[in-house]
mmCIF file of all heavy atoms in Angstrom:
data_model
loop_
_atom_site.group_PDB
_atom_site.id
_atom_site.type_symbol
_atom_site.label_atom_id
_atom_site.label_comp_id
_atom_site.label_asym_id
_atom_site.label_seq_id
_atom_site.Cartn_x
_atom_site.Cartn_y
_atom_site.Cartn_z
ATOM 1 N N LYS A 1 0.846 -1.184 0.000
ATOM 2 C CA LYS A 1 0.000 0.000 0.000
ATOM 3 C C LYS A 1 0.887 1.240 0.000
ATOM 4 O O LYS A 1 1.719 1.425 0.898
ATOM 5 C CB LYS A 1 -0.903 0.011 1.231
ATOM 6 C CG LYS A 1 -1.815 1.211 1.294
ATOM 7 C CD LYS A 1 -2.685 1.149 2.539
ATOM 8 C CE LYS A 1 -3.564 2.378 2.635
ATOM 9 N NZ LYS A 1 -4.334 2.388 3.877
ATOM 10 N N ASN A 2 0.717 2.075 -1.025
ATOM 11 C CA ASN A 2 1.443 3.331 -1.112
ATOM 12 C C ASN A 2 0.849 4.285 -0.076
ATOM 13 O O ASN A 2 -0.336 4.585 -0.103
ATOM 14 C CB ASN A 2 1.335 3.922 -2.520
ATOM 15 C CG ASN A 2 2.203 5.136 -2.701
ATOM 16 O OD1 ASN A 2 2.255 6.021 -1.858
ATOM 17 N ND2 ASN A 2 2.892 5.179 -3.831
ATOM 18 N N LEU A 3 1.674 4.753 0.851
ATOM 19 C CA LEU A 3 1.174 5.586 1.947
ATOM 20 C C LEU A 3 0.802 6.997 1.510
ATOM 21 O O LEU A 3 0.013 7.657 2.176
ATOM 22 C CB LEU A 3 2.206 5.636 3.076
ATOM 23 C CG LEU A 3 2.486 4.285 3.753
ATOM 24 C CD1 LEU A 3 3.548 4.447 4.821
ATOM 25 C CD2 LEU A 3 1.214 3.706 4.347
ATOM 26 N N GLU A 4 1.351 7.461 0.395
ATOM 27 C CA GLU A 4 1.039 8.807 -0.071
ATOM 28 C C GLU A 4 -0.234 8.837 -0.912
ATOM 29 O O GLU A 4 -1.063 9.718 -0.760
ATOM 30 C CB GLU A 4 2.216 9.359 -0.873
ATOM 31 C CG GLU A 4 3.466 9.515 -0.032
ATOM 32 C CD GLU A 4 4.737 9.669 -0.855
ATOM 33 O OE1 GLU A 4 4.645 9.843 -2.085
ATOM 34 O OE2 GLU A 4 5.815 9.606 -0.259
ATOM 35 N N THR A 5 -0.385 7.868 -1.823
ATOM 36 C CA THR A 5 -1.526 7.866 -2.741
ATOM 37 C C THR A 5 -2.650 6.922 -2.310
ATOM 38 O O THR A 5 -3.703 6.913 -2.931
ATOM 39 C CB THR A 5 -1.079 7.456 -4.157
ATOM 40 O OG1 THR A 5 -0.607 6.105 -4.120
ATOM 41 C CG2 THR A 5 -0.004 8.375 -4.681
ATOM 42 N N GLU A 6 -2.396 6.106 -1.274
ATOM 43 C CA GLU A 6 -3.357 5.103 -0.796
ATOM 44 C C GLU A 6 -3.615 3.996 -1.830
ATOM 45 O O GLU A 6 -4.554 3.220 -1.692
ATOM 46 C CB GLU A 6 -4.696 5.752 -0.388
ATOM 47 C CG GLU A 6 -4.585 6.761 0.730
ATOM 48 C CD GLU A 6 -4.205 6.144 2.060
ATOM 49 O OE1 GLU A 6 -4.727 5.088 2.405
ATOM 50 O OE2 GLU A 6 -3.351 6.742 2.756
ATOM 51 N N GLU A 7 -2.799 3.931 -2.886
ATOM 52 C CA GLU A 7 -2.941 2.891 -3.908
ATOM 53 C C GLU A 7 -2.552 1.537 -3.311
ATOM 54 O O GLU A 7 -1.534 1.412 -2.630
ATOM 55 C CB GLU A 7 -2.040 3.203 -5.103
ATOM 56 C CG GLU A 7 -2.046 2.127 -6.160
ATOM 57 C CD GLU A 7 -1.003 2.361 -7.234
ATOM 58 O OE1 GLU A 7 -0.077 3.176 -7.036
ATOM 59 O OE2 GLU A 7 -1.121 1.711 -8.280
ATOM 60 N N VAL A 8 -3.382 0.529 -3.562
ATOM 61 C CA VAL A 8 -3.121 -0.825 -3.075
ATOM 62 C C VAL A 8 -2.686 -1.685 -4.260
ATOM 63 O O VAL A 8 -3.349 -1.705 -5.293
ATOM 64 C CB VAL A 8 -4.381 -1.423 -2.406
ATOM 65 C CG1 VAL A 8 -4.140 -2.870 -2.013
ATOM 66 C CG2 VAL A 8 -4.772 -0.602 -1.195
ATOM 67 N N ILE A 9 -1.558 -2.384 -4.085
ATOM 68 C CA ILE A 9 -1.027 -3.240 -5.146
ATOM 69 C C ILE A 9 -0.994 -4.669 -4.636
ATOM 70 O O ILE A 9 -0.426 -4.949 -3.578
ATOM 71 C CB ILE A 9 0.382 -2.782 -5.561
ATOM 72 C CG1 ILE A 9 0.344 -1.333 -6.036
ATOM 73 C CG2 ILE A 9 0.944 -3.701 -6.637
ATOM 74 C CD1 ILE A 9 1.690 -0.726 -6.261
ATOM 75 N N TYR A 10 -1.604 -5.561 -5.394
ATOM 76 C CA TYR A 10 -1.632 -6.977 -5.046
ATOM 77 C C TYR A 10 -0.517 -7.705 -5.792
ATOM 78 O O TYR A 10 -0.245 -7.406 -6.954
ATOM 79 C CB TYR A 10 -2.980 -7.590 -5.407
ATOM 80 C CG TYR A 10 -4.118 -6.975 -4.640
ATOM 81 C CD1 TYR A 10 -4.843 -5.914 -5.159
ATOM 82 C CD2 TYR A 10 -4.450 -7.434 -3.372
ATOM 83 C CE1 TYR A 10 -5.880 -5.326 -4.448
ATOM 84 C CE2 TYR A 10 -5.490 -6.859 -2.649
ATOM 85 C CZ TYR A 10 -6.199 -5.805 -3.201
ATOM 86 O OH TYR A 10 -7.214 -5.235 -2.489
ATOM 87 N N VAL A 11 0.102 -8.657 -5.130
ATOM 88 C CA VAL A 11 1.165 -9.433 -5.777
ATOM 89 C C VAL A 11 0.551 -10.462 -6.709
ATOM 90 O O VAL A 11 -0.615 -10.829 -6.574
ATOM 91 C CB VAL A 11 2.055 -10.129 -4.723
ATOM 92 C CG1 VAL A 11 2.768 -9.122 -3.865
ATOM 93 C CG2 VAL A 11 1.264 -11.097 -3.878
ATOM 94 N N GLN A 12 1.355 -10.933 -7.663
ATOM 95 C CA GLN A 12 0.938 -11.995 -8.587
ATOM 96 C C GLN A 12 1.765 -13.236 -8.302
ATOM 97 O O GLN A 12 2.956 -13.128 -7.984
ATOM 98 C CB GLN A 12 1.176 -11.572 -10.029
ATOM 99 C CG GLN A 12 0.477 -10.320 -10.437
ATOM 100 C CD GLN A 12 0.978 -9.829 -11.795
ATOM 101 O OE1 GLN A 12 1.726 -10.503 -12.479
ATOM 102 N NE2 GLN A 12 0.558 -8.641 -12.171
ATOM 103 N N LYS A 13 1.149 -14.383 -8.445
ATOM 104 C CA LYS A 13 1.876 -15.634 -8.258
ATOM 105 C C LYS A 13 2.948 -15.737 -9.343
ATOM 106 O O LYS A 13 2.708 -15.416 -10.501
ATOM 107 C CB LYS A 13 0.910 -16.818 -8.349
ATOM 108 C CG LYS A 13 1.527 -18.120 -7.935
ATOM 109 C CD LYS A 13 0.489 -19.215 -7.892
ATOM 110 C CE LYS A 13 1.148 -20.522 -7.524
ATOM 111 N NZ LYS A 13 0.202 -21.626 -7.540
ATOM 112 N N ALA A 14 4.142 -16.174 -8.961
ATOM 113 C CA ALA A 14 5.256 -16.277 -9.896
ATOM 114 C C ALA A 14 4.977 -17.350 -10.940
ATOM 115 O O ALA A 14 4.595 -18.476 -10.599
ATOM 116 C CB ALA A 14 6.546 -16.595 -9.152
ATOM 117 N N PHE A 15 5.157 -16.998 -12.199
ATOM 118 C CA PHE A 15 4.942 -17.954 -13.283
ATOM 119 C C PHE A 15 6.014 -19.036 -13.255
ATOM 120 O O PHE A 15 5.736 -20.200 -13.469
ATOM 121 C CB PHE A 15 4.947 -17.221 -14.633
ATOM 122 C CG PHE A 15 4.635 -18.100 -15.797
ATOM 123 C CD1 PHE A 15 3.348 -18.570 -15.993
ATOM 124 C CD2 PHE A 15 5.622 -18.475 -16.680
ATOM 125 C CE1 PHE A 15 3.045 -19.391 -17.059
ATOM 126 C CE2 PHE A 15 5.337 -19.291 -17.759
ATOM 127 C CZ PHE A 15 4.043 -19.755 -17.949
ATOM 128 N N TRP A 16 7.266 -18.643 -12.989
ATOM 129 C CA TRP A 16 8.378 -19.581 -12.858
ATOM 130 C C TRP A 16 8.822 -19.583 -11.397
ATOM 131 O O TRP A 16 9.544 -18.695 -10.977
ATOM 132 C CB TRP A 16 9.560 -19.180 -13.740
ATOM 133 C CG TRP A 16 9.261 -19.214 -15.193
ATOM 134 C CD1 TRP A 16 9.080 -18.148 -16.010
ATOM 135 C CD2 TRP A 16 9.084 -20.369 -16.013
ATOM 136 N NE1 TRP A 16 8.810 -18.556 -17.285
ATOM 137 C CE2 TRP A 16 8.811 -19.927 -17.320
ATOM 138 C CE3 TRP A 16 9.135 -21.733 -15.772
ATOM 139 C CZ2 TRP A 16 8.586 -20.799 -18.373
ATOM 140 C CZ3 TRP A 16 8.913 -22.598 -16.831
ATOM 141 C CH2 TRP A 16 8.645 -22.129 -18.104
ATOM 142 N N PRO A 17 8.417 -20.575 -10.608
ATOM 143 C CA PRO A 17 8.827 -20.622 -9.201
ATOM 144 C C PRO A 17 10.271 -21.110 -9.042
ATOM 145 O O PRO A 17 10.531 -22.252 -8.702
ATOM 146 C CB PRO A 17 7.831 -21.593 -8.584
ATOM 147 C CG PRO A 17 7.408 -22.467 -9.711
ATOM 148 C CD PRO A 17 7.493 -21.637 -10.955
ATOM 149 N N VAL A 18 11.216 -20.239 -9.333
ATOM 150 C CA VAL A 18 12.636 -20.560 -9.335
ATOM 151 C C VAL A 18 13.125 -20.889 -7.927
ATOM 152 O O VAL A 18 12.758 -20.224 -6.968
ATOM 153 C CB VAL A 18 13.433 -19.362 -9.908
ATOM 154 C CG1 VAL A 18 14.927 -19.614 -9.849
ATOM 155 C CG2 VAL A 18 12.981 -19.061 -11.317
ATOM 156 N N GLN A 19 13.976 -21.909 -7.826
ATOM 157 C CA GLN A 19 14.592 -22.291 -6.561
ATOM 158 C C GLN A 19 16.024 -21.777 -6.544
ATOM 159 O O GLN A 19 16.704 -21.793 -7.561
ATOM 160 C CB GLN A 19 14.606 -23.817 -6.406
ATOM 161 C CG GLN A 19 13.255 -24.431 -6.392
ATOM 162 C CD GLN A 19 13.307 -25.942 -6.304
ATOM 163 O OE1 GLN A 19 12.324 -26.522 -5.952
ATOM 164 N NE2 GLN A 19 14.389 -26.596 -6.613
ATOM 165 N N SER A 20 16.473 -21.325 -5.374
ATOM 166 C CA SER A 20 17.845 -20.849 -5.242
ATOM 167 C C SER A 20 18.246 -20.901 -3.767
ATOM 168 O O SER A 20 17.478 -21.357 -2.926
ATOM 169 C CB SER A 20 17.970 -19.432 -5.796
ATOM 170 O OG SER A 20 17.092 -18.569 -5.118
ATOM 171 N N PHE A 21 19.450 -20.423 -3.491
ATOM 172 C CA PHE A 21 19.936 -20.310 -2.118
ATOM 173 C C PHE A 21 20.309 -18.858 -1.875
ATOM 174 O O PHE A 21 20.956 -18.216 -2.709
ATOM 175 C CB PHE A 21 21.174 -21.186 -1.906
ATOM 176 C CG PHE A 21 20.856 -22.651 -1.835
ATOM 177 C CD1 PHE A 21 20.840 -23.422 -2.987
ATOM 178 C CD2 PHE A 21 20.569 -23.256 -0.626
ATOM 179 C CE1 PHE A 21 20.550 -24.771 -2.939
ATOM 180 C CE2 PHE A 21 20.271 -24.603 -0.570
ATOM 181 C CZ PHE A 21 20.265 -25.365 -1.729
ATOM 182 N N THR A 22 19.903 -18.324 -0.739
ATOM 183 C CA THR A 22 20.264 -16.968 -0.349
ATOM 184 C C THR A 22 20.221 -16.858 1.172
ATOM 185 O O THR A 22 19.438 -17.562 1.818
ATOM 186 C CB THR A 22 19.330 -15.920 -0.994
ATOM 187 O OG1 THR A 22 19.805 -14.616 -0.672
ATOM 188 C CG2 THR A 22 17.903 -16.061 -0.536
ATOM 189 N N HIS A 23 21.050 -16.011 1.708
ATOM 190 C CA HIS A 23 21.133 -15.819 3.166
ATOM 191 C C HIS A 23 21.354 -17.152 3.886
ATOM 192 O O HIS A 23 20.846 -17.353 4.998
ATOM 193 C CB HIS A 23 19.877 -15.123 3.692
ATOM 194 C CG HIS A 23 19.718 -13.725 3.201
ATOM 195 N ND1 HIS A 23 19.224 -13.438 1.957
ATOM 196 C CD2 HIS A 23 20.005 -12.534 3.777
ATOM 197 C CE1 HIS A 23 19.198 -12.119 1.785
ATOM 198 N NE2 HIS A 23 19.675 -11.551 2.863
ATOM 199 N N GLY A 24 22.042 -18.088 3.234
ATOM 200 C CA GLY A 24 22.323 -19.391 3.833
ATOM 201 C C GLY A 24 21.111 -20.302 3.930
ATOM 202 O O GLY A 24 21.130 -21.271 4.676
ATOM 203 N N LYS A 25 20.050 -19.995 3.185
ATOM 204 C CA LYS A 25 18.818 -20.786 3.258
ATOM 205 C C LYS A 25 18.312 -21.116 1.865
ATOM 206 O O LYS A 25 18.645 -20.444 0.890
ATOM 207 C CB LYS A 25 17.725 -20.001 3.997
ATOM 208 C CG LYS A 25 18.064 -19.682 5.420
ATOM 209 C CD LYS A 25 16.951 -18.898 6.069
ATOM 210 C CE LYS A 25 17.338 -18.543 7.498
ATOM 211 N NZ LYS A 25 16.310 -17.787 8.164
ATOM 212 N N ARG A 26 17.482 -22.126 1.792
ATOM 213 C CA ARG A 26 16.798 -22.445 0.540
ATOM 214 C C ARG A 26 15.721 -21.400 0.301
ATOM 215 O O ARG A 26 15.076 -20.931 1.236
ATOM 216 C CB ARG A 26 16.150 -23.828 0.630
ATOM 217 C CG ARG A 26 17.155 -24.933 0.778
ATOM 218 C CD ARG A 26 16.492 -26.262 1.004
ATOM 219 N NE ARG A 26 17.541 -27.258 1.195
ATOM 220 C CZ ARG A 26 17.337 -28.542 1.181
ATOM 221 N NH1 ARG A 26 16.120 -29.020 1.001
ATOM 222 N NH2 ARG A 26 18.329 -29.374 1.349
ATOM 223 N N ALA A 27 15.546 -21.043 -0.969
ATOM 224 C CA ALA A 27 14.572 -20.003 -1.308
ATOM 225 C C ALA A 27 13.802 -20.420 -2.548
ATOM 226 O O ALA A 27 14.350 -21.033 -3.461
ATOM 227 C CB ALA A 27 15.285 -18.680 -1.553
ATOM 228 N N LYS A 28 12.526 -20.073 -2.578
ATOM 229 C CA LYS A 28 11.699 -20.341 -3.745
ATOM 230 C C LYS A 28 10.894 -19.089 -4.061
ATOM 231 O O LYS A 28 10.238 -18.518 -3.187
ATOM 232 C CB LYS A 28 10.759 -21.512 -3.488
ATOM 233 C CG LYS A 28 10.029 -21.958 -4.740
ATOM 234 C CD LYS A 28 9.552 -23.374 -4.593
ATOM 235 C CE LYS A 28 9.069 -23.902 -5.918
ATOM 236 N NZ LYS A 28 8.749 -25.303 -5.835
ATOM 237 N N ARG A 29 10.962 -18.678 -5.339
ATOM 238 C CA ARG A 29 10.205 -17.498 -5.769
ATOM 239 C C ARG A 29 8.721 -17.853 -5.742
ATOM 240 O O ARG A 29 8.287 -18.817 -6.354
ATOM 241 C CB ARG A 29 10.606 -17.076 -7.168
ATOM 242 C CG ARG A 29 9.922 -15.790 -7.602
ATOM 243 C CD ARG A 29 10.233 -15.382 -9.014
ATOM 244 N NE ARG A 29 11.665 -15.386 -9.290
ATOM 245 C CZ ARG A 29 12.170 -15.451 -10.512
ATOM 246 N NH1 ARG A 29 11.391 -15.550 -11.556
ATOM 247 N NH2 ARG A 29 13.476 -15.445 -10.682
ATOM 248 N N ILE A 30 7.937 -17.033 -5.036
ATOM 249 C CA ILE A 30 6.503 -17.318 -4.934
ATOM 250 C C ILE A 30 5.645 -16.232 -5.565
ATOM 251 O O ILE A 30 4.572 -16.527 -6.084
ATOM 252 C CB ILE A 30 6.074 -17.553 -3.462
ATOM 253 C CG1 ILE A 30 6.484 -16.381 -2.565
ATOM 254 C CG2 ILE A 30 6.646 -18.855 -2.946
ATOM 255 C CD1 ILE A 30 5.972 -16.462 -1.141
ATOM 256 N N PHE A 31 6.090 -14.984 -5.510
ATOM 257 C CA PHE A 31 5.301 -13.878 -6.050
ATOM 258 C C PHE A 31 6.205 -12.907 -6.799
ATOM 259 O O PHE A 31 7.411 -12.878 -6.600
ATOM 260 C CB PHE A 31 4.610 -13.079 -4.942
ATOM 261 C CG PHE A 31 3.586 -13.824 -4.142
ATOM 262 C CD1 PHE A 31 3.737 -13.982 -2.775
ATOM 263 C CD2 PHE A 31 2.456 -14.351 -4.740
ATOM 264 C CE1 PHE A 31 2.782 -14.640 -2.021
ATOM 265 C CE2 PHE A 31 1.504 -15.013 -4.000
ATOM 266 C CZ PHE A 31 1.663 -15.164 -2.631
ATOM 267 N N ILE A 32 5.562 -12.075 -7.620
ATOM 268 C CA ILE A 32 6.208 -10.905 -8.206
ATOM 269 C C ILE A 32 5.264 -9.722 -8.021
ATOM 270 O O ILE A 32 4.047 -9.913 -7.890
ATOM 271 C CB ILE A 32 6.546 -11.092 -9.710
ATOM 272 C CG1 ILE A 32 5.287 -11.401 -10.514
ATOM 273 C CG2 ILE A 32 7.605 -12.140 -9.917
ATOM 274 C CD1 ILE A 32 5.487 -11.312 -12.003
ATOM 275 N N VAL A 33 5.834 -8.538 -7.997
ATOM 276 C CA VAL A 33 5.011 -7.337 -7.881
ATOM 277 C C VAL A 33 5.687 -6.225 -8.677
ATOM 278 O O VAL A 33 6.906 -6.082 -8.651
ATOM 279 C CB VAL A 33 4.797 -6.928 -6.394
ATOM 280 C CG1 VAL A 33 6.094 -6.564 -5.720
ATOM 281 C CG2 VAL A 33 3.784 -5.816 -6.276
ATOM 282 N N ASP A 34 4.875 -5.478 -9.399
ATOM 283 C CA ASP A 34 5.363 -4.354 -10.190
ATOM 284 C C ASP A 34 4.992 -3.062 -9.477
ATOM 285 O O ASP A 34 3.807 -2.753 -9.319
ATOM 286 C CB ASP A 34 4.768 -4.363 -11.595
ATOM 287 C CG ASP A 34 5.277 -5.521 -12.425
ATOM 288 O OD1 ASP A 34 6.503 -5.778 -12.386
ATOM 289 O OD2 ASP A 34 4.478 -6.179 -13.103
ATOM 290 N N ILE A 35 5.993 -2.326 -9.037
ATOM 291 C CA ILE A 35 5.790 -1.029 -8.399
ATOM 292 C C ILE A 35 6.005 0.030 -9.471
ATOM 293 O O ILE A 35 7.075 0.090 -10.071
ATOM 294 C CB ILE A 35 6.767 -0.821 -7.226
ATOM 295 C CG1 ILE A 35 6.610 -1.924 -6.179
ATOM 296 C CG2 ILE A 35 6.599 0.569 -6.618
ATOM 297 C CD1 ILE A 35 5.282 -1.951 -5.463
ATOM 298 N N GLU A 36 5.003 0.843 -9.715
ATOM 299 C CA GLU A 36 5.086 1.838 -10.784
ATOM 300 C C GLU A 36 5.375 3.246 -10.279
ATOM 301 O O GLU A 36 5.780 4.106 -11.051
ATOM 302 C CB GLU A 36 3.788 1.825 -11.598
ATOM 303 C CG GLU A 36 3.585 0.499 -12.307
ATOM 304 C CD GLU A 36 2.296 0.449 -13.101
ATOM 305 O OE1 GLU A 36 1.581 1.469 -13.155
ATOM 306 O OE2 GLU A 36 2.012 -0.614 -13.658
ATOM 307 N N THR A 37 5.138 3.493 -8.982
ATOM 308 C CA THR A 37 5.336 4.821 -8.419
ATOM 309 C C THR A 37 6.297 4.741 -7.244
ATOM 310 O O THR A 37 6.093 3.926 -6.337
ATOM 311 C CB THR A 37 3.991 5.404 -7.925
ATOM 312 O OG1 THR A 37 3.039 5.330 -8.978
ATOM 313 C CG2 THR A 37 4.150 6.840 -7.475
ATOM 314 N N GLU A 38 7.319 5.567 -7.256
ATOM 315 C CA GLU A 38 8.261 5.591 -6.135
ATOM 316 C C GLU A 38 7.568 6.143 -4.907
ATOM 317 O O GLU A 38 6.737 7.056 -4.989
ATOM 318 C CB GLU A 38 9.467 6.460 -6.485
ATOM 319 C CG GLU A 38 10.530 6.447 -5.417
ATOM 320 C CD GLU A 38 11.805 7.142 -5.864
ATOM 321 O OE1 GLU A 38 11.933 7.483 -7.044
ATOM 322 O OE2 GLU A 38 12.677 7.330 -4.999
ATOM 323 N N GLY A 39 7.888 5.584 -3.755
ATOM 324 C CA GLY A 39 7.305 6.087 -2.526
ATOM 325 C C GLY A 39 7.459 5.114 -1.376
ATOM 326 O O GLY A 39 8.107 4.080 -1.496
ATOM 327 N N LYS A 40 6.835 5.467 -0.265
ATOM 328 C CA LYS A 40 6.837 4.605 0.914
ATOM 329 C C LYS A 40 5.648 3.660 0.826
ATOM 330 O O LYS A 40 4.515 4.105 0.611
ATOM 331 C CB LYS A 40 6.770 5.443 2.189
ATOM 332 C CG LYS A 40 8.034 6.222 2.434
ATOM 333 C CD LYS A 40 7.996 6.929 3.761
ATOM 334 C CE LYS A 40 9.301 7.682 3.945
ATOM 335 N NZ LYS A 40 9.420 8.274 5.262
#
């Protein structure tokens, strides 16, 4: 939720649920989100 414009953005399920390792842990991509406006 953009705190300035009150715009709510919902995530989308990842089309390719890629597996990887990061921060010493197993990771799987679950969502993607497109942010179009800079802000908090």
Side-chain angles (χ1 to χ4, degrees):
K1 180 180 178 184
N2 187 315
L3 296 178
E4 296 163 10
T5 64
E6 299 293 318
E7 176 188 16
V8 175
I9 302 171
Y10 297 93
V11 297
Q12 302 169 8
K13 190 173 178 183
F15 184 72
W16 296 107
V18 176
Q19 299 177 162
S20 58
F21 286 90
T22 185
H23 294 80
K25 298 179 182 180
R26 295 174 182 193
K28 189 158 191 173
R29 185 183 310 160
I30 54 174
F31 296 120
I32 58 168
V33 63
D34 292 316
I35 302 295
E36 296 179 3
T37 307
E38 184 171 351
K40 291 186 180 186

